[in-house]
Structure formats: structure tokens, C-alpha cells
Amino acid sequence: MSDQSPRPIVSAIPLLVLIALLVFVIAVFGSDSLNGGSQVALLLAMAVCVTISMTVYRMSWKLFERQIMKTIGDVSITLVILLTVGMLSGSWMVSGIVPTLIYYGVQIISPQFFLFTSCIICALVSVLSGSSWTTIATIGVAFIGIGHALDISEAWTAGAIISGAYFGDKMSPLSDTTILASSAAGVDLFRHIRYMVYTTMPSFTIALVIYFIAGLGIASGEALHVGQYTEGLANTYHISLWTLLVPVLTGVLIARRAPSLITLFLSSVMAGITALILQPHILTEIAGGGEGLVALFKGLAITYYGATNVETGDAALNELVSTGGMAGMLNTIWLIISAMCFGAVMVASGMIQSITRVIISYVKSLFGLVANTVFTGLFFNLSTGDQFISIVLTADMYRETYKRMGYQERLLSRTTEDAVTVTSVLVPWNTCGMTQSTVLGVATLTYLPYCFFNLLSPLMACFVAALGWKIKKVETEE
């Protein structure tokens, strides 16, 4: 391998190729671009990076192979979680949990305050669970259904759900991204969380105000679909408050800080048992007929791994209660693996580092330091396709710069979270963007303009830096 690092202008070539290919893929495939076209674009851009590195800079293929294996290994648990989320979404729907939440939710929640309520509840659940993914896969899916019944735009609903879930993910001491950001910058966890309040609470408050005002206008008329939705659900499912034992027990697991994978899996198993007890007729329908335990087992297995289509008598409701199971997550997993491969070769080649060194060289002030950190975090989210890699790379790139300029490590950890954690869900080919769009059934670019908390957070980080509010240098630290 050559000692010469790729120049910034050369390092930008794979990124420019990727951007051009993604634009072309979206123009050709439209909403189906994540079903294969984007994966091809990522792999072609990866090939460009490897070709330049091996031919021009004489780098060994083994270098890239090791980095790809390490990167995919680091996210392997995420891939298993995705499969489990597919099990969860299918079983919660077929067992009647989500239909019951929708049935009672549309009658209890005021349409005018639906967006505001959705955001608040998702935030609370996410703070307690420490996981935006768990929150969105459970209560988030239910809110999407309630929003459909109340005739509220799915883009607005998804935006409110994601804003609340990522607020909790960011502020919870149980969150893996919060723990990672604080440890990567060398800051005590709770000190990191307390310092995030100065940027996170203003962003979240503004988002809540927007959802409150928007709700008054969006849902000011009569919700015409409530009656037909409740009737269709009651005629199809055995609507029972007993189904809500599963969310309650899931909450107990969350409160006891059980790992996300274990929580999701056990919740799926409990939902499957509920389906066997309360919805055997639906399992038989999914199995394609038959009798006895064989039909029930076949229906439950399909619920976990495959697509389910339950006939309710209403086309819109049929689409709402359909699920994809584990198979529905395979396109997402394929895309994540492709994105990880591209990110891995960009890191192994040194091209990512080359680009960020240029960015750091222009930092001259506090505002410039924070703004460049935000830009770098966004850049890594776009180029590596994974928030965990982006958090680590951003913290590593700027740690010495913050130290040299005399600013506390907690400013670095906070800015990294403001830039990376909340924006990862806004990138269609990022692991978070791919996952949440699949789970909610709403395209990333469709809900993006309505995720106000996620959009405001990096801007708030820059605004607070411009004011210098609660930002101290090391020598003035108490």
C-alpha cells in the first residue's frame, strides 16, 4: 500500500459518482428505487473507490476486505433486529394489538390534537425504551393506522412519530447512540445528556408548536373514515382489551432495561400466542384454509416471515392491516449491506479522512467549529449510510480540534448528536431512513419535510453556537 493519501479532489470522485447514480436511479425507478436500483448505485460507487485506490495508490484488496468484514460485523446485530422488527410488525397486526389500539384510539384521541399527542407519546415511550426503532415499530405503527382512520396525511403523522421517537432516542440514558456519542467524545453520559438540553428542548418545543397549530388546520373537519374503520376492524378482528397485555408486558421489559433484541423477540412471541387465542380465524385465513393445529401453525409462521393480507371489506383498511413480516425487511437489509460496503471502502481508502481534513482546516471560530462539525456529521450520514459509523468518525475527526481550540468535550458530543443521530432517519439509504420508511410504509422523502425536530436540531446547534450560550472553554469550566 502506498504511503500517499488520496487527495481531496480524488476522494470526492466516488461520492460524486454515487450522487449522480442515485439521482438517475430515483428518476428512473421513482418510489421503487430502494428495491434494487439504489443498491446497484452504492456497489458501483464502491467499485469506483476501490479501482482508484488499487490502481492509483496501490492499495491492497485485503485492506478493503478486512474493513468490509469489520463494518458489516459491527452492524450484524442491527440486521437481526430488523428481522425481529418484521416479526413484531406482523404479529402485532394479526394478533389484534394494533387494530385494537386503532379502534379505541380513533374514538379517544381528538383529531385536532392528534399530531401533538402522537409526538408527545412517542417521545415518552422512546425515553423509557432508549430506542426510536422499538418505539416506531410498536406505538408508531398504531399511530399511522389511527392517522389513516382520522383522514390525516401519513406524511404529517410519520413526521410527528419520528420527531418524538428521535427526541427520546437522543435524550434517553438507555439509548445506544447517546452512550456512543458520549463515550466517543470522552464525556460522562449524564453530563452529555444535561448539556444536550440547551439545543434539544428548544427544537422539540418548536416542533410541538408546529404540530399543534398544523393539527388545528389539518383535522378541523369531521373525520369521515372513523365509522367505516371501526366497523371494519370490529367485523374482522376480535377487538379486546386483553390484547393490550402484550404492550404492557413489553413496557415492563423496557423498564427492566432488557436488550432491544430480546424485548422485540419476546413481544413477538407474546403477540403470536395472543393471535392463537383471539384471532384463530385470521390465522386460518392466512394459511389458506385447513383445520386444527397445522393450519394455525402455518398461519402464525407466515405472519412472522411473510406477507399477510386480511380481508376487511374495505380496500383502504385492507392495505392498512397488511404486513410484510421478516421478508418485508429483506430489501432494507440488502440496502444496508450495500451502504455499509460503500462506507467501509471509503474509510479504508482514506478518502473520507482526506475530505474532512480539508473541512477542518477552515475552522477559525466557535461558530465555524460547530457548523463544520454539523456539516461533517451530515456528510458522514450521507456517505457511510450508518449513524453509528458517522458518530464515531465525527467525534474522532474533531476531538483534537476541539481540544486545540480550548472547548469542552461535551460540546463535541452534543454537536455530534445534533448533527448525526436525528438526521440519519432523513437519508433514504441510511440504515435509519431505510428502516423507518419500511416499518411505517411512508417513503423517506415523503416524511422528511415534516420531521421538524430532526430538521431543527442541527440548525439549533449552529444557532446556539452563534450566541455562545452556555458554551465555555476548558479553562473556565467549573
Side-chain angles (χ1 to χ4, degrees), residues 24 219 276 288 362 388 443 470:
F24 184 70
L276 289 170
Y362 289 100
F388 298 107
K470 296 292 184 178

Side-chain angles (χ1 to χ4, degrees), residues 89-90 93-94 98-99 102 141 144-145 148-149 225 228-237 282 285-286 307-324:
S89 62
M93 187 66 76
V94 170
V98 172
I102 295 172
V141 174
I144 281 287
H148 273 290
H225 299 302
Q228 70 184 63
Y229 269 56
T230 54
E231 181 181 355
L233 290 171
N235 291 337
T236 306
Y237 293 89
I282 294 180
E285 179 186 339
I286 292 171
T308 61
N309 296 285
V310 179
E311 179 55 49
T312 64
D314 181 272
L317 190 56
N318 289 348
E319 184 177 350
L320 175 62
V321 299
S322 64
T323 63

